């Protein structure tokens, strides 16, 4: 598991800064394993992108793996 801690800093006008912290634990999956799990769960029309604007996923260079699938 990977734990991400996200700190949000906010300031309105001249007021003091406020902060909030969110923590999320993620289980990273490689494309091959995610593809297998989605298919086993009945998903079809699987497409993978490197970012949200539908740029093709490149295992060697993409920082993200965005999966789009359909289940009827």
């Amino acid at each position: 598991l990977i734990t991400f801690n996200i700190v949000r800093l906010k300031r309105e006008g001249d007021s003091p800064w406020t902060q909030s912290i969110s923590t999320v634990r993620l289980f990273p999956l490689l494309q091959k394993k995610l593809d297998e799990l989605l298919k086993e769960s009945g998903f079809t029309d699987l497409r993978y992108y490197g970012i949200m604007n539908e740029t093709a996923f490149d295992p060697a260079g993409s920082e993200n793996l965005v999966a789009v699938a359909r289940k009827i």
Side-chain angles (χ1 to χ4, degrees), residues 9-27:
L9 300 171
K10 183 178 179 180
R11 182 176 179 189
E12 294 184 16
D14 292 332
S15 64
W17 286 94
T18 59
Q19 72 177 22
S20 62
I21 300 172
S22 301
T23 300
V24 62
R25 295 185 76 184
L26 300 175
F27 183 81

Side-chain angles (χ1 to χ4, degrees), residues 3 13-15 17 19-20 27 42-43 55 58 62 66-67 70-71:
T3 302
D14 292 332
S15 64
W17 286 94
Q19 72 177 22
S20 62
F27 183 81
F43 285 88
T55 297
D58 174 13
S62 294
V66 178
R70 179 182 307 258
K71 187 169 184 179

